[in-house]
Amino acid sequence: ITGNNVIIMLDGMPLNSPVDGAIDWSTVPIHPRDLERIDVVRGPVSTIYGANAYTGVIQLVSYRGFGTVPQGAVRAEVGIDTAGHPVTDLAGVYSRAGERFQRAVFAHASYDSVFSDSQSGTLEPRISGALLARLGATLAAGQLDFEVSGSIAHGSSLEHFVLEDIREQRLLGMAQLRFTSRDLPGALGTIGAFARTQLRAIQTDRLDYSGFSYDGTRSARTSVGSEFTLVPHPTLTATFGAQFDLDRVTAPYIHPDENGDYRTGWGFYGRFAWDPTDRWSFTGALRGDIPTMTGDLAFSYRGSLVYHTDDLAIRLVGASAFRAPTYVEVGGRFVDPTSGLILLEGRPQLQNPANDGGEIALTVSPRAGLRLGATAWVGRMRNLVIEDFAPIVRRTFVNEAGSRWFVGGDAEAEYKHSDLLLLSAFVSYTYFVPRDDTQVPTVGTEDINASVLAGLMARGSLRSDSMRYGLSVALATGRDYLMYAGVPTSILTANIDTSVQLSAMLEQQVGSSLPVWLSLRVQANLPQQAESPLPGASMAGTSFLIGVEHRRN
């Protein structure tokens, strides 16, 4: 039901909602094309990123600029999707990485495919807009960075508890202040501190809709933290830190005892890195957290051993992490608007779901420009939160008895011939060990995950970098859904066939002296199918975008 198994971060700011841990991609305040990179950390990493880094972390890093020359771009793209609906995207970027001051501004607005209003039968656009501004200052004492962002999205609400399309507006505001000192004398390394806040609101048109909705949802999360690093020896580094969280959620579907309360949480951690030789590295970490929703102390740990040379690396990792139950799971009270009956209620006594795992990885570079890698992993999930539909009237969230084991592995390859051609490929396989379930699945099963994922990509530039191209193909094996959803509840099933996604991009500069680029982007999905059992879920079909972009240094 919830999405806080993975933390999604933008420049260090978590984007997960404190209400249910989910990610609302329509309100992410930056366009994917304005990201400098995406860092993915797989596995239990709570010791590094906090309590809810349960199965991994995805870090979105905004464009930083290169050198001290101001850089900017204005971009416009228009196109259509499979259903013939228009798709439009407008964006502007300005960035300058100066020696003393650094600043950047990102703005974008999009007009996406339309959705059907179930009450009136009319079609309305899905519109979103966002602004992100970043300011950095290099001081005598260290680096000070301030970032503020906001977004608004108008479109369809189609989620776990809302199974009809309704008009909905979602707002997100975030701010973050970070400081990192310069290297300090003696055994002291650096001192860092941060403060960040996130505000969310959801509004729906209650005059046109009488069913359950997320209307009236308001949430606020504020976090402050600090850490310091010690370097007692050139081969040994130790880091110690602490974090304080303050949450407040108000919503009509939250229990009166939980609604509007201020909840506090704490986290403290220690990490060390030891490099006894130029080929061996040891790291270890231990973290304790008291989440805002449970108040119980929980520990997570992580350790790794790495052997590395110029063309070989072997890594062995063992870790344990947990996620905290959400407001919905602990304090939710979902009422049938028609009968007034409480259909699903949170449980304050929930335990923290945990994930224990280990992996071994090998990376080799047999020749210049070629990198090969392979990883094998094993994991165990405990205390999973599920919806208990055994009671006839009032259902509750409970911890699942027993554990779920899974094993898997992946392989990847990358070859860079030159700026003309970069090839990369990957394949991943995950297998969930069968178990005798005495409980009927109520949210989903392992079957909703594709067991095999694979992809191949080629990209590069031609004509002295005046033409750029990219081609990719991705495959995901079939999935089966069996889940309860909606208020009141329905049983949703779906069989999703094996799917293939094809993407192509071509950019061409208009003349050698004009900073104007023309682009064509095509994405096709085979077969054209909805990838979710939720009624009215959009089709994964084909889209065409043509664009013009003005870039200036």
Side-chain angles (χ1 to χ4, degrees):
I1 166 111
T2 54
N4 67 338
N5 297 324
V6 177
I7 293 181
I8 311 295
M9 308 181 82
L10 173 60
D11 295 336
M13 291 186 290
L15 298 175
N16 301 66
S17 168
V19 178
D20 59 3
I23 295 296
D24 184 2
W25 292 104
S26 65
T27 58
V28 173
I30 193 169
H31 193 278
R33 289 185 60 188
D34 296 326
L35 296 174
E36 184 171 295
R37 69 180 189 275
I38 300 175
D39 298 329
V40 179
V41 182
R42 184 186 57 213
V45 286
S46 290
T47 55
I48 303 173
Y49 296 97
N52 294 328
Y54 174 67
T55 58
V57 169
I58 299 176
Q59 177 79 264
L60 311 177
V61 181
S62 62
Y63 178 70
R64 297 284 153 173
F66 300 94
T68 59
V69 178
Q71 301 172 66
V74 178
R75 184 174 63 247
E77 293 179 315
V78 295
I80 59 172
D81 60 15
T82 302
H85 298 149
V87 179
T88 304
D89 189 85
L90 303 173
V93 180
Y94 172 79
S95 177
R96 181 173 183 178
E99 294 181 359
R100 185 174 180 183
F101 295 101
Q102 307 85 40
R103 52 267 195 189
V105 178
F106 305 88
H108 82 267
S110 64
Y111 177 104
D112 205 343
S113 56
V114 297
F115 71 92
S116 174
D117 177 27
S118 59
Q119 298 297 316
S120 64
T122 59
L123 297 177
E124 293 198 6
R126 182 179 305 161
I127 304 171
S128 64
L131 178 68
L132 184 150
R134 185 178 67 238
L135 176 64
T138 302
L139 309 176
Q143 181 68 28
L144 183 66
D145 294 292
F146 176 69
E147 188 168 310
V148 60
S149 60
S151 62
I152 181 171
H154 167 85
S156 169
S157 172
L158 192 63
E159 302 180 46
H160 186 73
F161 291 120
V162 183
L163 299 186
E164 294 185 69
D165 291 325
I166 60 175
R167 298 185 185 93
E168 184 179 78
Q169 294 80 40
R170 295 184 172 232
L171 293 92
L172 170 65
M174 299 192 300
Q176 176 175 241
L177 181 66
R178 291 185 298 181
F179 173 76
T180 303
S181 73
R182 294 185 180 273
D183 291 337
L184 301 175
L188 289 176
T190 59
I191 297 176
F194 73 86
R196 56 182 177 237
T197 188
Q198 177 193 107
L199 304 174
R200 292 177 179 269
I202 302 177
Q203 249 179 280
T204 62
D205 193 340
R206 299 294 296 172
L207 297 178
D208 294 339
Y209 185 74
S210 58
F212 174 82
S213 75
Y214 291 98
D215 184 51
T217 300
R218 304 288 186 273
S219 67
R221 167 166 289 176
T222 299
S223 301
V224 295
S226 180
E227 70 175 30
F228 65 93
T229 301
L230 300 176
V231 188
H233 189 270
T235 64
L236 180 63
T237 301
T239 302
F240 302 93
Q243 178 176 326
F244 170 76
D245 300 315
L246 178 65
D247 289 352
R248 185 174 188 265
V249 172
T250 59
Y253 50 86
I254 299 296
H255 192 285
D257 293 343
E258 310 288 346
N259 198 25
D261 286 349
Y262 288 94
R263 287 183 166 269
T264 59
W266 298 85
F268 52 92
Y269 56 88
R271 300 193 297 266
F272 79 90
W274 181 39
D275 301 316
T277 71
D278 58 356
R279 294 194 174 186
W280 288 96
S281 297
F282 300 86
T283 61
L286 177 66
R287 181 177 177 120
D289 284 279
I290 302 176
T292 57
M293 287 309 299
T294 63
D296 298 327
L297 179 62
F299 288 99
S300 53
Y301 65 85
R302 183 178 179 88
S304 68
L305 168 64
V306 180
Y307 174 80
H308 51 88
T309 65
D310 292 341
D311 54 11
L312 170 69
I314 302 174
R315 183 180 74 253
L316 181 64
V317 177
S320 178
F322 75 98
R323 76 165 181 86
T326 66
Y327 269 86
V328 165
E329 294 168 331
V330 171
R333 175 174 279 185
F334 296 91
V335 178
D336 184 350
T338 303
S339 64
L341 294 176
I342 299 173
L343 302 181
L344 184 64
E345 194 162 38
R347 181 183 291 257
Q349 298 81 18
L350 284 176
Q351 300 179 23
N352 299 312
N355 180 21
D356 311 315
E359 69 177 41
I360 183 170
L362 171 68
T363 302
V364 296
S365 299
R367 54 173 294 183
L370 177 62
R371 182 179 61 85
L372 305 174
T375 306
W377 65 80
V378 60
R380 177 184 66 155
M381 293 184 176
R382 300 175 283 117
N383 297 327
L384 294 179
V385 175
I386 63 173
E387 296 170 31
D388 181 14
F389 280 81
I392 297 178
V393 179
R394 183 176 299 187
R395 285 77 173 176
T396 59
F397 291 96
V398 298
N399 289 110
E400 185 182 48
S403 303
R404 292 184 180 264
W405 288 85
F406 60 94
V407 296
D410 63 32
E412 57 180 349
E414 183 177 275
Y415 175 65
K416 183 176 182 180
H417 179 269
S418 64
D419 290 340
L420 300 177
L421 178 63
L422 174 65
L423 289 172
S424 59
F426 77 92
V427 61
S428 174
Y429 175 74
T430 304
Y431 173 74
F432 285 86
V433 179
R435 50 172 266 175
D436 296 328
D437 283 316
T438 58
Q439 223 166 3
V440 177
T442 57
V443 175
T445 68
E446 297 91 345
D447 296 334
I448 68 175
N449 299 287
S451 58
V452 176
L453 298 171
L456 176 65
M457 182 184 70
R459 58 188 174 92
S461 60
L462 303 169
R463 298 181 180 178
S464 301
D465 204 33
S466 64
M467 176 182 288
R468 300 173 183 175
Y469 69 91
L471 300 169
S472 68
V473 56
L475 177 143
T477 54
R479 289 139 287 159
D480 295 321
Y481 283 88
L482 171 61
M483 58 187 292
Y484 289 90
V487 176
T489 302
S490 303
I491 300 178
L492 303 181
T493 61
N495 297 320
I496 310 298
D497 295 331
T498 296
S499 59
V500 176
Q501 183 184 87
L502 305 172
S503 301
M505 178 275 291
L506 181 65
E507 291 184 336
Q508 173 65 58
Q509 186 175 5
V510 180
S512 58
S513 59
L514 288 176
V516 176
W517 292 71
L518 299 178
S519 64
L520 172 64
R521 299 176 187 274
V522 181
Q523 182 170 297
N525 291 270
L526 303 173
Q528 297 184 7
Q529 60 182 340
E531 294 189 341
S532 166
L534 296 174
S538 59
M539 299 288 290
T542 303
S543 62
F544 298 87
L545 282 173
I546 58 173
V548 58
E549 183 172 358
H550 175 78
R551 304 172 186 170
R552 187 172 183 86
N553 289 340

